[in-house]
């Protein structure tokens, strides 16, 4: 009634879902986001032992295509993110020349920028 | 099953500056539904990823793979 | 922590429903991860 677990629910939770000492992974943490541009002092605290830190970049090479959705479709910013990953993939093996720059150079008018 | 309105109200009040801020029943219902949709979407996408890898259990790796796009979609 | 436990329990119930529907299991760690992400959302 107060939004918290009843005795029965607590016991179910404790038995079915709670991560405890018997589990290899004792907890899960999401990475803290920080903004270097704001000169925030980056406190990269190491996750405590047994805590699985979730990574948003571990599988970045998998992000070059829209993954299947269920009831919520991909947002524009997600599609944008995927297209950037595809662009990065495309440029990964470039040596000196940058194809993006070569493509845009003919359209650069200095009066537009100076 | 889903999120109870009282639980959602407590969660929201964690972040209100003014503890006297009130949330209408409709807003709580909507927030509860949004949270439910988020959880089901995360779970269903994790299942898709596990099935794509021929696994019959969704482990954290499968969730991690779908996490960037999931977070961008909400 | 009690709020987190209530969110975790609710997420567990929802995941069990998806598991039943899709006939795929979730590890305890995955349910904990979805709960943590939901709490942060």
């Amino acid at each position: 009634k107060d939004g918290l677990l009843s005795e029965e629910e607590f016991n179910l939770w404790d038995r079915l879902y709670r991560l405890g000492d018997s589990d290899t992974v004792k907890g899960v943490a999401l990475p803290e986001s920080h903004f270097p541009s704001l000169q925030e002092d980056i406190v990269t605290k190491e996750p405590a032992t047994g805590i699985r830190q979730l990574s948003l970049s571990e599988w970045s090479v998998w992000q070059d295509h829209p993954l299947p959705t269920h009831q919520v479709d991909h947002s524009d910013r997600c599609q944008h993110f995927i297209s950037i990953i595809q662009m990065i993939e495309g440029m990964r093996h470039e040596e000196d020349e940058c194809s993006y720059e070569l493509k845009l150079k003919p359209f650069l008018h200095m009066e537009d920028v100076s | 099953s889903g999120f109870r309105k009282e639980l959602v109200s407590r969660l929201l009040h964690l972040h209100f500056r003014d503890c006297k801020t009130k949330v209408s029943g409709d807003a709580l219902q909507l927030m509860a539904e949004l949270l439910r949709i988020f959880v089901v979407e995360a779970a269903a996408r994790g299942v898709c990823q596990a099935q794509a890898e021929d696994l019959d259990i969704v482990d954290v790796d499968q969730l991690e793979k779908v996490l960037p796009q999931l977070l961008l979609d909400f | 922590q009690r709020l987190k436990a209530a969110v975790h329990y609710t997420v567990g119930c929802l995941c069990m429903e998806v598991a039943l529907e899709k006939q795929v299991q979730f590890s305890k760690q995955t349910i904990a991860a979805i709960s943590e992400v939901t709490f942060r959302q």
Side-chain angles (χ1 to χ4, degrees), chain B residues 12-26:
Chain B
L12 293 177
H13 278 83
L14 281 179
H15 301 279
F16 289 159
R17 271 191 296 278
D18 178 355
C19 60
K20 290 193 293 299
T21 304
K22 296 221 175 313
V23 187
S24 76
D26 289 351

Side-chain angles (χ1 to χ4, degrees), chain B residues 26-56:
Chain B
D26 289 351
L28 288 177
Q29 191 119 21
L30 188 60
M31 195 65 203
E33 181 61 4
L34 173 64
L35 286 171
R36 187 192 68 79
I37 289 172
F38 178 77
V39 171
V40 170
E41 190 67 23
R45 292 189 189 187
V47 166
C48 272
Q49 188 55 44
Q51 287 170 337
E53 297 179 44
D54 254 351
L55 302 169
D56 55 9

Side-chain angles (χ1 to χ4, degrees), chain A residues 9 52 55 70-71 74, chain B residues 4 10 41 61 64 73:
Chain A
E9 287 170 337
R52 168 69 183 262
S55 162
H70 178 50
Q71 287 169 328
H74 286 310
Chain B
R4 290 198 198 111
R10 281 175 176 262
E41 190 67 23
D61 281 3
E64 254 185 354
D73 291 341

Side-chain angles (χ1 to χ4, degrees), chain A residues 12-77:
Chain A
L12 251 179
W13 167 71
D14 192 42
R15 185 161 49 84
L16 290 179
Y17 308 124
R18 187 178 205 170
L19 296 181
D21 296 339
S22 59
D23 296 290
T24 41
V25 173
K26 294 175 180 37
V28 175
L30 257 179
E32 293 291 331
S33 56
H34 55 260
F35 293 84
S37 56
L38 302 182
Q39 270 85 42
E40 276 180 359
D41 50 337
I42 302 175
V43 183
T44 49
K45 49 180 188 287
E46 280 308 307
T49 48
I51 299 293
R52 168 69 183 262
Q53 173 103 2
L54 293 176
S55 162
L56 292 175
S57 54
E58 174 78 22
W59 312 96
S60 57
V61 288
W62 288 58
Q63 307 307 325
D64 63 350
H65 65 287
L67 294 169
T69 59
H70 178 50
Q71 287 169 328
V72 175
D73 206 352
H74 286 310
S75 64
D76 290 347
R77 58 183 181 154

